[in-house]
Amino acid sequence: SYRTASGAKLGFETGKGLLASAAEAQTVTGLGDDAYWADFISTLGILKGNYEIRLRVSGEKQDRRNIAQGLAAKALGRLP
């Protein structure tokens, strides 16, 4: 967690920006304040308030995004 929402947003935007410049970040809706999926590195990035969460999933390629989104929904439900 960051001390402020602006700190979390800066960390999130930095990661998303690096992936977007490599044409990797795909916007994901319905998770937190903002979220993206980077298929090449099987990573889901989520921003919610003061929190930046990144989930990396290995396993069957076709299941990775769904698994990450399910885990993210559970994690977000536990945040204050």
Side-chain angles (χ1 to χ4, degrees):
S1 135
Y2 290 82
R3 291 186 144 184
T4 65
S6 60
K9 185 171 176 105
L10 177 62
F12 175 84
E13 292 294 336
T14 299
K16 185 177 178 182
L18 290 171
L19 293 168
S21 67
E24 286 297 323
Q26 302 165 13
T27 299
V28 175
T29 59
L31 290 174
D33 300 326
D34 198 359
Y36 65 87
W37 173 252
D39 193 54
F40 179 73
I41 58 173
S42 301
T43 299
L44 178 64
I46 308 107
L47 174 66
K48 183 178 180 188
N50 293 6
Y51 297 89
E52 175 197 10
I53 301 169
R54 290 187 199 179
L55 297 169
R56 185 166 182 202
V57 179
S58 60
E60 295 295 322
K61 186 163 178 67
Q62 67 271 17
D63 298 332
R64 292 176 188 172
R65 183 172 175 168
N66 288 334
I67 291 168
Q69 286 182 260
L71 290 169
K74 288 181 181 184
L76 290 170
R78 294 177 149 241
L79 292 178

